[in-house]
Amino acid sequence: MSSSIARRLARDEGGFTLIELLVAIVCGVVVTGALFAILEVSLRQTARITDRVQATQLGRTAMTHVVDELHSGCIAREFAPIQAGSTGSELRFRAGTSEKAVIEYPEVFEHRILWTGTYPAGGLLIDKTYKANGGTWPSKFTWESTATPSNGFRLAENIYQQSSATPVFKYYKYATTASTGGTETASGALTLVAVPNEGFNATEAKGIAAVQVSFSAAPTDNNTAPGRSAEFSSLVTLAFASPASEAT
């Protein structure tokens, strides 16, 4: 390359103008902003899905525990699992499991599952267990002091009522008349029982044939925004077999 060409290239003032440089900067800022917006949306969706999965896992574990214990409530024919004092926020019932034909007192327990919240605030779901310390099958058991449960643990936290009209525990009894066309309810042979403010007495508790457990579970961070909680509901029938529809 000759010296004259080199001097000409050195004096060449060609390049980007100020306007072109500003346009390039603006385009870069727009692209960067779009990327950050996409990242923010992705992170938000990931957090929402993570919370929903976590709430589902925690709620399903608690529901499975309660349902499994209720399924062990019929230890003998005409045995009444639901106990006096049961309310919409506290479920009291007796259950037992054994490999033997006759369940003896060390294998029978009274459970008190308590929801500590007050609608619309959430609370804990706690299971207190009281052992039978004497007595005979099927229902003449004696119990340890209610002030000192042998076992009590937290089933779940951040548990909410699904609505003001839906308590955590709902109780059903068998209908006293057969259902007819046009009047059959969704629960079939079961009819909803109103819970007294102070809870059922012993006579009322004997008539309870089913319990519906319903609640909403929030994730561990207690974020109750839409799409982050999970709702659960399960109806457990407390009987060896359903009664005939013709019988009262």
Side-chain angles (χ1 to χ4, degrees):
M1 180 182 294
S2 65
S3 58
S4 60
I5 295 176
R7 287 194 297 271
R8 187 170 66 252
L9 291 174
R11 292 194 300 269
D12 189 3
E13 297 179 356
F16 293 109
T17 64
L18 179 60
I19 294 177
E20 291 172 333
L21 183 60
L22 292 176
V23 170
I25 293 174
V26 170
C27 291
V29 170
V30 170
V31 172
T32 303
L35 292 175
F36 274 107
I38 294 172
L39 178 62
E40 182 182 3
V41 171
S42 299
L43 292 175
R44 190 178 302 162
Q45 290 296 326
T46 300
R48 183 183 64 82
I49 294 172
T50 301
D51 279 352
R52 182 59 180 264
V53 170
Q54 187 181 73
T56 300
Q57 291 175 336
L58 296 175
R60 182 180 291 119
T61 300
M63 178 63 79
T64 300
H65 181 96
V66 176
V67 170
D68 285 348
E69 287 186 343
L70 283 171
H71 280 159
S72 300
C74 295
I75 63 176
R77 292 186 64 85
E78 299 184 4
F79 178 80
I82 304 303
Q83 300 300 303
S86 294
T87 66
S89 59
E90 182 176 1
L91 172 61
R92 299 183 179 186
F93 64 99
R94 292 175 181 173
T97 56
S98 176
E99 296 179 355
K100 303 176 183 178
V102 175
I103 301 178
E104 300 176 348
Y105 71 83
E107 300 164 315
V108 181
F109 303 88
E110 179 171 319
H111 297 275
R112 297 188 180 183
I113 300 179
L114 173 67
W115 177 62
T116 64
T118 303
Y119 183 83
L124 305 175
L125 201 62
I126 299 174
D127 183 5
K128 296 182 179 180
T129 305
Y130 304 84
K131 291 193 303 184
N133 56 12
T136 58
W137 179 89
S139 59
K140 296 181 180 179
F141 296 107
T142 57
W143 306 88
E144 65 181 5
S145 171
T146 56
T148 56
S150 59
N151 186 23
F153 58 94
R154 182 182 303 184
L155 296 179
E157 58 184 6
N158 304 327
I159 299 298
Y160 293 79
Q161 277 187 224
Q162 294 181 356
S163 70
S164 59
T166 307
V168 176
F169 305 111
K170 294 173 68 175
Y171 303 88
Y172 292 83
K173 64 180 180 180
Y174 285 117
T176 56
T177 58
S179 59
T180 59
T183 62
E184 186 174 359
T185 62
S187 56
L190 299 172
T191 57
L192 184 63
V193 179
V195 182
N197 291 333
E198 65 279 5
F200 295 114
N201 59 38
T203 301
E204 293 166 334
K206 282 185 177 181
I208 303 302
V211 180
Q212 184 170 7
V213 185
S214 304
F215 57 80
S216 295
T220 54
D221 61 4
N222 202 22
N223 189 336
T224 57
R228 293 178 182 262
S229 298
E231 293 190 350
F232 298 87
S233 183
S234 183
L235 179 67
V236 181
T237 303
L238 304 168
F240 287 112
S242 299
S245 59
E246 294 79 8
T248 58

